[in-house]
Amino acid sequence: MAGLTHFDEGGHAHMVDVSDKPVTARIAVARGAVRMSAETLAMITEGRAKKGDVLAVARLAGIMAAKKTADLIPLCHPLPITKVALDLMADPTLPGVVVEATVKTGGQTGVEMEALTAVSVACLTIYDMVKAVEKSMQIEGIRLVLKDGGKSGRYEAET
């Protein structure tokens, strides 16, 4: 278990002690997509979904999810999040919706899980709001694309 910080010497899961780490500015950006038919995408972008404004509801769901990450992921620290922003972009070439979340904090540990959770829940919300029309939608490519701050410094995913 060498190198895995969420396990102690005996191999038992534990919450990492970050009390000696300095408070630094941290940012994480995650991205994912919901692939769907062109017809379903048109229904969303034209505001014809029966449940309402799909992208607005998904944006709020993602923001709420980022704030609740420590309640969902057992070993995550509750963090003082200073920013959560979600961009939901219709992409006719998929076709589908690309979701990107940016999360910031000034803290002792990063916000990668908060950004990933925001994207995941926003994608699930899109699926939920239009599943009556298309059950075959696919949620895909959820990944960290940027993180900065803290001991490990900057990470940028290859494009």
Side-chain angles (χ1 to χ4, degrees):
M1 302 273 178
L4 297 176
T5 58
H6 286 90
F7 295 95
D8 64 18
E9 301 79 29
H12 302 101
H14 72 103
M15 187 179 226
V16 175
D17 183 357
V18 297
S19 57
D20 291 334
K21 292 173 78 175
V23 172
T24 61
R26 297 165 184 266
I27 185 171
V29 179
R31 188 176 298 138
V34 183
R35 186 181 297 266
M36 62 192 64
S37 70
E39 294 78 19
T40 302
L41 180 60
M43 181 188 66
I44 291 170
T45 59
E46 294 167 7
R48 294 185 282 115
K50 291 190 186 222
K51 289 188 177 181
D53 187 337
V54 173
L55 301 182
V57 173
R59 180 176 291 108
L60 287 174
I63 292 167
M64 292 172 64
K67 294 169 22 176
K68 291 290 192 179
T69 300
D71 294 334
L72 299 169
I73 311 293
L75 301 178
C76 281
H77 294 83
L79 298 174
I81 294 173
T82 57
K83 176 183 180 172
V84 180
L86 272 87
D87 291 320
L88 293 92
M89 301 148 285
D91 183 348
T93 63
L94 274 176
V97 178
V98 175
V99 178
E100 184 173 284
T102 301
V103 182
K104 291 183 176 182
T105 190
Q108 294 170 295
T109 190
V111 285
E112 296 96 305
M113 295 308 300
E114 287 73 11
L116 289 162
T117 300
V119 168
S120 299
V121 171
C123 288
L124 287 167
T125 300
I126 293 168
Y127 186 96
D128 178 57
M129 291 192 71
V130 294
K131 69 182 181 287
V133 174
E134 183 179 347
K135 291 182 179 20
S136 62
M137 290 178 287
Q138 296 177 30
I139 295 171
E140 57 187 41
I142 297 173
R143 66 203 179 280
L144 182 69
V145 296
L146 171 83
K147 73 77 65 192
D148 199 12
K151 183 178 173 183
S152 65
R154 188 173 184 88
Y155 163 82
E156 287 186 70
E158 294 180 21
T159 55

